[in-house]
Amino acid sequence: MRVLVLTGAGVSAESGIPTFRGKDGYWRNLDPTKLATPEAFARDPQLVWDWYRERRERIRNARPNAAHEAIARLARATDEFLLVTQNVDDLHARAGIPAERMVRIHGDIFVTRCSRCDFSYAGRGGSPEPPGACAVQPTYGRLRSIAATFEKDADLPRCPECHALARPGVVWFGEQLSRNELERVEDFLDGGACDVVIVAGTTATFGYIIDWALRASQDGAGLIEVNPEETPLSRFATRLVREPAAIALPRIVDELAN
Ligand SMILES: [Zn+2]
């Protein structure tokens, strides 16, 4: 079986990670869609870092839910599998999806990278290691001091190479998706049509989500949408499941994996 799964904020919301939309997403009365921008970082990097550190903390304390577990089970039961997630948390990884079967199209919140050069540090900020992951161990003096700088709570971290401000390794509104990650999705799509495409917990308001879902499913065959609400993708789907992902996905995976 060849399977593509696309997930968005709705899947993590059920683990207590607030989405950007709605009242829950607001932080200190600020709109996250305005904080997660290069403009906000240029204006007030401390404010943006304070927000990201709180989000990191919340994610560290969250746990994968039944939707994450079900998708990981589907990955184990499938020869050709790719998960494309818009979520920058590590809950899919902690549920057991290996890095080579997952594309994190909006980046990784636990990565800290330079705002100017290519330097990046994949420290996990104390988050539990995903099973089987190769940990970045800051054992050497220089790496240890980078870890200490990047994971301290108060300061604005700076790049050890060029001294520019460091920033979270996520894709902000108005920024390009990583070419590398886009290529990984394209490679999978080029590999042939999927038997099943599941789109869960994303409002599919980004055009590329609809594009990938339709290409992978050959214009909708085997396309399952899991979302309590109607989305722009709904009219293309062959099956609509109007339930939260943590309720619907374990059942759908039971059906598919048997
Ligand atoms: Zn730099």
Side-chain angles (χ1 to χ4, degrees):
M1 211 166 51
R2 190 171 165 80
V3 176
L4 174 69
V5 178
L6 298 151
T7 65
V11 170
S12 293
E14 292 167 53
S15 286
I17 314 294
T19 65
F20 279 15
R21 265 179 291 273
K23 264 195 313 212
D24 283 1
Y26 271 67
W27 175 77
R28 297 187 192 167
N29 273 330
L30 299 167
D31 178 352
T33 61
K34 300 205 170 83
L35 279 172
T37 63
E39 293 77 20
F41 188 70
R43 199 167 46 235
D44 193 345
Q46 185 73 60
L47 179 75
V48 173
W49 263 116
D50 286 350
W51 178 55
Y52 274 99
R53 286 194 172 109
E54 269 193 40
R55 281 186 79 83
R56 283 179 172 180
E57 182 66 22
R58 193 184 272 259
I59 291 163
R60 275 196 287 270
N61 294 327
R63 291 187 171 200
N65 63 51
H68 298 104
E69 306 287 355
I71 295 166
R73 192 151 54 87
L74 184 59
R76 283 193 294 274
T78 310
D79 295 331
E80 294 179 72
F81 175 93
L82 188 69
L83 166 68
V84 179
T85 184
Q86 298 175 293
N87 300 335
V88 297
D89 61 60
D90 58 356
L91 296 176
H92 281 300
R94 276 156 61 193
I97 306 243
E100 66 273 15
R101 306 191 102 185
M102 170 165 50
V103 173
R104 302 172 70 179
I105 203 69
H106 289 167
D108 177 346
I109 196 171
F110 290 110
V111 166
T112 300
R113 67 175 175 84
C114 181
S115 59
R116 186 193 296 155
C117 75
D118 287 340
F119 184 85
S120 86
Y121 173 72
R124 302 194 52 75
S127 186
E129 285 304 319
C134 174
V136 177
Q137 292 290 2
T139 21
Y140 304 104
R142 185 169 159 279
L143 269 183
R144 191 184 288 144
S145 80
I146 292 166
T149 313
F150 280 4
E151 288 166 16
K152 231 186 321 193
D153 274 346
D155 300 337
L156 275 178
R158 286 198 176 263
C159 173
E161 304 285 342
C162 77
H163 224 64
L165 279 179
R167 53 167 283 180
V170 299
V171 179
W172 282 330
F173 290 100
E175 291 186 317
Q176 301 283 321
L177 301 180
S178 141
R179 184 183 301 251
N180 226 0
E181 300 304 282
L182 285 176
E183 270 171 19
R184 293 182 57 212
V185 179
E186 291 295 330
D187 284 350
F188 185 80
L189 294 176
D190 287 347
C194 292
D195 303 291
V196 177
V197 178
I198 300 174
V199 183
T202 168
T203 45
T205 44
F206 292 98
Y208 56 82
I209 294 287
I210 296 179
D211 177 48
W212 292 337
L214 293 183
R215 273 171 65 197
S217 65
Q218 293 198 313
D219 295 331
L223 177 56
I224 304 172
E225 180 182 66
V226 179
N227 204 306
E229 282 157 38
E230 167 129 356
T231 79
L233 189 71
S234 302
R235 66 193 178 95
F236 301 108
T238 39
R239 182 171 168 195
L240 299 170
V241 184
R242 294 276 174 253
E243 285 174 316
I247 301 209
L249 278 174
R251 196 180 61 235
I252 292 169
V253 170
D254 279 345
E255 290 167 23
L256 292 173
N258 286 329

